[in-house]
Amino acid sequence: MTRFCAVIVLCSLAEGKDPLYQENIVLLDADSLESARARAAQHGRDGETEYRNGDGELVRWRLAEVVDVAEVPDQQLGDGAEVYTRHFRDYAAYRRFEPLLDGEPL
């Protein structure tokens, strides 16, 4: 059994609101990359739900995409273990994308 990490994006659609996206990073144990991808998709579908918020608006969470599934670099998880690594070239775009870097409240 190998440990994998999956990046899963869910989308919330609420009446009269712009979509809200949630990125989840989950650990999965699987026998192969293909099995881990299938488990990641199932995990995302299991997160789908709908409910009425405090204003009575219908909110629907749906799986948008399984972005990536990769083997965890450090199979022995512990303090300081790397769980997921990704590379990118445009740091300015990353800063615009990542609200926590601008102090934007969620």
Side-chain angles (χ1 to χ4, degrees):
M1 203 60 84
T2 302
R3 183 153 292 150
F4 292 87
C5 182
V7 180
I8 300 168
V9 175
L10 298 171
C11 178
S12 171
L13 300 171
E15 297 170 352
K17 306 254 190 217
D18 289 336
L20 176 66
Y21 297 92
Q22 174 181 301
E23 180 182 54
N24 296 326
I25 299 175
V26 298
L27 293 174
L28 303 165
D29 291 329
D31 293 324
S32 66
L33 180 59
E34 295 76 25
S35 176
R37 285 184 198 282
R39 293 201 57 224
Q42 185 60 53
H43 185 85
R45 288 188 298 274
D46 289 347
E48 294 181 335
T49 188
E50 58 184 60
Y51 56 88
R52 297 236 173 237
N53 65 15
D55 295 327
E57 301 162 328
L58 181 62
V59 178
R60 290 185 176 107
W61 281 96
R62 297 293 181 254
L63 172 63
E65 181 136 4
V66 175
V67 176
D68 193 17
V69 177
E71 190 172 326
V72 171
D74 292 338
Q75 289 291 303
Q76 297 299 317
L77 297 179
D79 185 41
E82 285 190 34
V83 176
Y84 179 74
T85 302
R86 68 177 164 181
H87 301 87
F88 53 91
R89 297 191 186 281
D90 190 342
Y91 187 66
Y94 180 79
R95 285 192 63 85
R96 284 189 305 275
F97 159 78
E98 179 50 62
L100 296 175
L101 291 175
D102 286 337
E104 178 184 323
L106 298 176

